[in-house]
Amino acid sequence: MMSYLDLISSKKRKREERVFRFKIFGENGYPVEFDGSFQQNIKKLLELGHFQRNICSRMPSWSFKLEVIRQPSFHILLFVVEEPIEASLEHHCKHCQYLGWGQNMICNRKYHFVLPSKDIEAAFLNCQDGAISTKDNFNLVQSRGHLMHGIFHSNGFGHLLCVNGMEGGSDLAGCQIMEFWDRLCTGLRARKVSLNDISQKRSMELRLLHGVAFSEPWFGRWGYKFGRGSFGVTQPMHQKAIETIQGMPLCILVHYLGNSNHHIPVILSRYQTVSDHSLVTLGDLFRFMLELKTHLPEENCVDSHIVKPTCRWSPKRVEMATRVIVEALKRAEFRWVSRQDVRDAARAYIGDTGLLDFVLKSLGNHVVGNYLVRRCLNPVTKVLEYCLEDVSNVHPEQQGLVINNSKMKGRYRMTRPQLMKDMLYLYRCILKDQKPTMNQGILSAIPAATRIILDTKYLVKEYNGELPWKIHHTGHEEAGKMTLYCTVFLRDKQESNEVMKKAMPPLECITLKNNATFNELKLEVERKFRELYWGLKSFVVESIMNLNVKGTDLVSEVVEVGQKIVLEGSNAESGTINELIYECGVNNRVVDCACGAKEDDGERMISCDICEVWQHSRCVQIPNNQEMPPIFLCSRCEKEIMILPSMP
């Protein structure tokens, strides 16, 4: 059965596209051999894309049809939008600025990788079909609510802007989307990629919950680590905050909170009873609960594998039919029952035989609540038969998690909803509670440590770092050619004849013939860096640092393959102010906040109307839900005014 999205696609897309497998898209060799630099790899990839119009005005765009499931058919679309700087509304990247990458040069292009939501994709298809006029300017890049939206600068630095899994209305889990993104970054050979971690699960901040349980955020499983903290938070501060909460003894919590909150001792006792190893600290407890959660079936819920994204029945109808079938099998008192008998018993409550056939086909060897629905072919009668098996006390061992089955009986038997309810209660009462009871003794460290962890949202993963790709990989060295790593040093002679020094762009691979001269090397470097960077469009190489060579000298006789070379030069045209060619731009804003912040970190700020120094609004006691005052004086200026002599 085709999904709604596939049905629209079959009617409205102008020509048949090649279909790619979602689960391996981005791996080396699929859909292309990623064996070059980021720029080379992305060009190879886009050659296979379906060129699109009307996605973003004045921006070249491509789409890739990705097969998630073959039977039943389930596809999604990946869009890639090339944003040239001429079409960009804002030349400077705020994500680079907030992360501390402001010294990076502005690139000539950005590439947006988007997995749109169903609504956005349907709107795009209507636009393609003419239902929406092109003058309406359908803009995929500016739309919100995507399943995934990531940006790459053409030099290989990138930012993951959003991931929306099933809780955000997606048919894909968040981990599936992250694995897809990680394959893209690895395959394309990105340098560094950042993200802003604001992920939540049932109103619980995952960077706090997973930080306490596993010493790393949820995104840590894909290698993302501390990038930059807000409000002056440093990496040692962040690490210390995690260790503080992790090491909080449970006996101390019971001592201080047990008298005023009787639920906390009951919950702690419940999980201590379940576990076969001692839970001593708060970190032990949250880690055990998160690991236990993966082994518990969801009570009164249909297995997620039963309700496929392309199923024509709603999850509620499938769940109702499943309950009816399970109740019919319960009445058989765990005996094997033929498929026809089960179907006939269920028809008394469910009239849709197609729905019953679908559920009976999908239920085989699936867990529903506390029961495993078994299905097998009777070897004598050759008829399919079903029976129930009670698995409420069966929990497998995995990754060192040991559960005492004998202790899971009676009042200590639990389900996933119960565990999530307990976890949310502990999260709110211990980690997020700002009541006076949390300011007693050692507990006073928890609110401060929690605030530090929550103020650490910018995470970074380094994929290739300084070198864009390794030249010793098979096939990188073509016959009769040599490869060097080159970067440029931009000089800007001001009126005072002083030379302005700025950060150099990252190294790029330059491939030359073995008999190439240094004049040819200079021309190739100029071409490469002019193509990459907006501020180097008229860049001219004037000399090579630390090398005293002539232009006609052969490169191969002076330098070795893989050597790093820095070439000095300046822009032939002086129309662009040098500061404007960097992501930070001309920043005259002075930041000096009480938290220690000296740069803009993306948090809400306010400036003093006298000294014009910027501070975080939170640090000057202005809540985020409160409007900024029309006039604001910092504490320093306020004190200076107070000590001024009064006018006669």
Side-chain angles (χ1 to χ4, degrees), residues 166-181:
M166 289 183 173
E167 289 196 356
S170 169
D171 292 328
L172 296 172
C175 59
Q176 290 178 289
I177 299 174
M178 275 304 301
E179 288 166 3
F180 174 75
W181 171 254

Side-chain angles (χ1 to χ4, degrees), residues 37-73:
S37 64
F38 175 82
Q39 300 87 356
Q40 294 168 333
N41 290 333
I42 203 165
K43 286 179 181 178
K44 286 183 180 180
L45 178 64
L46 295 182
E47 287 175 358
L48 300 179
H50 178 68
F51 187 76
Q52 297 286 359
R53 301 181 186 276
N54 304 332
I55 294 181
C56 297
S57 59
R58 297 186 299 159
M59 298 186 193
S61 308
W62 297 262
S63 67
F64 297 82
K65 190 174 184 179
L66 307 178
E67 178 187 78
V68 182
I69 302 174
R70 179 167 296 180
Q71 292 295 334
S73 177

Side-chain angles (χ1 to χ4, degrees), residues 112-115 141 143 146-151 159-162:
H112 297 260
F113 281 70
V114 177
L115 293 177
V141 169
S143 300
H146 298 304
L147 307 187
M148 185 200 81
H149 185 183
I151 296 177
H159 313 283
L160 179 59
L161 304 187
C162 74

Side-chain angles (χ1 to χ4, degrees), residues 84-86 105-109 490 526-527 529-540 570-573 576 581:
I85 192 168
E86 294 81 9
M105 282 188 172
I106 298 175
C107 294
N108 284 320
R109 297 175 187 82
L490 180 63
E526 289 173 355
R527 184 197 65 79
F529 283 83
R530 286 176 180 178
E531 180 184 343
L532 272 177
Y533 296 103
W534 176 60
L536 299 180
K537 287 188 174 181
S538 61
F539 179 74
V540 177
S570 59
N571 282 319
E573 301 175 6
T576 303
I581 69 176

Side-chain angles (χ1 to χ4, degrees), residues 303-333:
D303 190 296
S304 60
H305 295 287
I306 297 175
V307 187
K308 300 292 185 183
T310 53
C311 176
R312 65 186 176 98
W313 292 282
S314 68
K316 187 173 291 187
R317 292 193 64 195
V318 173
E319 184 174 346
M320 177 66 73
T322 302
R323 290 181 181 178
V324 169
I325 291 172
V326 170
E327 289 299 322
L329 291 171
K330 282 183 183 179
R331 291 193 291 271
E333 298 179 347

Side-chain angles (χ1 to χ4, degrees), residues 244-295:
T244 297
I245 301 181
Q246 277 184 334
M248 188 64 61
L250 296 179
C251 60
I252 297 293
L253 290 171
V254 174
H255 173 74
Y256 282 103
L257 304 178
N259 293 331
S260 59
N261 191 324
H262 300 292
H263 293 293
I264 290 180
V266 171
I267 293 174
L268 300 186
S269 176
R270 177 181 300 150
Y271 291 94
Q272 185 65 77
T273 305
V274 172
S275 175
D276 261 2
H277 61 272
S278 180
L279 303 178
V280 179
T281 65
L282 194 57
D284 294 339
L285 176 62
F286 275 110
R287 184 184 185 94
F288 177 76
M289 293 178 76
L290 286 172
E291 289 177 337
L292 176 60
K293 171 179 169 285
T294 63
H295 302 290

